[in-house]
């Protein structure tokens, strides 16, 4: 899938368009949730996920990324959402989250989850809400 999300940007799920080195650099050096993630770990995560890239139409350079872990039936986890600092402030994060939501809609996925420490407002614009019953959710964290 490739589609225009702004006048100057396209979004694509084509894995051949991804820039894995750039994605790894962004996440491992600037994303609080992935600091220090190894390139091997990032490459494995990309390989096992549905990936979305945001690209400048004029140059083809990748300026954003998100990945989804999903069974494409009942559940999806949106993660590693990142917009290059030079491209922020143009609504690309909202458009990226919308594209993920819209891409998954025909599958019938009932629940898309994400975790964020600082971008609640971005995701609320797309329809995400805080968990109504967070006490029901649990996590197994391996360190």
């Amino acid at each position: 899938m490739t589609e225009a999300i702004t006048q100057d940007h396209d979004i694509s799920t084509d894995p051949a368009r991804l820039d894995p080195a750039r994605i790894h650099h962004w996440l491992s050096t600037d994303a609080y949730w992935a600091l220090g993630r190894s390139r091997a770990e990032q490459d494995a995560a990309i390989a096992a996920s549905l990936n979305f890239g945001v690209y400048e139409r004029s140059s083809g350079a990748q300026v954003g990324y998100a990945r989804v872990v999903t069974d494409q039936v009942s559940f999806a986890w949106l993660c590693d959402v990142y917009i290059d600092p030079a491209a922020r402030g143009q609504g690309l994060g909202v458009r990226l989250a919308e594209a993920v939501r819209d891409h998954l809609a025909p599958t019938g996925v009932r629940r898309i989850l994400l975790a964020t420490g600082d971008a609640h407002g971005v995701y609320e614009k797309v329809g995400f809400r805080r968990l109504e019953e967070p006490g029901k959710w649990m996590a197994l964290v391996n360190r």
Side-chain angles (χ1 to χ4, degrees):
M1 169 225 48
T2 298
E3 65 181 65
I5 59 169
T6 71
Q7 180 179 341
D8 300 319
H9 297 90
D10 294 324
I11 190 164
S12 176
T13 56
D14 180 357
R17 291 188 69 185
L18 295 173
D19 184 341
R22 179 174 280 191
I23 294 166
H24 174 253
H25 175 74
W26 284 337
L27 297 178
S28 68
T29 64
D30 191 41
Y32 66 85
W33 64 90
L35 293 175
R37 184 182 292 169
S38 75
R39 175 67 191 266
E41 290 171 323
Q42 186 61 54
D43 288 349
I46 289 171
S49 300
L50 172 60
N51 300 279
F52 293 77
V54 179
Y55 305 91
E56 287 182 346
R57 190 168 299 138
S58 61
S59 69
Q62 187 170 355
V63 297
Y65 176 72
R67 68 184 182 92
V68 177
V69 180
T70 183
D71 60 12
Q72 296 194 37
V73 175
S74 63
F75 178 80
W77 174 43
L78 173 58
C79 54
D80 288 347
V81 179
Y82 189 90
I83 301 296
D84 187 286
R88 291 179 187 166
Q90 302 176 57
L92 295 177
V94 171
R95 299 304 304 263
L96 179 54
E98 288 172 340
V100 169
R101 178 199 63 201
D102 296 348
H103 184 86
L104 292 172
T107 69
V109 166
R110 294 184 55 203
R111 183 170 287 115
I112 303 171
L113 293 180
L114 63 84
T116 183
D118 60 356
H120 295 82
V122 169
Y123 299 108
E124 287 169 346
K125 291 177 184 176
V126 180
F128 284 87
R129 300 290 174 253
R130 294 176 191 267
L131 295 175
E132 290 180 19
E133 299 182 74
K136 288 186 175 183
W137 293 89
M138 297 179 69
L140 174 63
V141 180
N142 297 315
R143 293 182 193 224

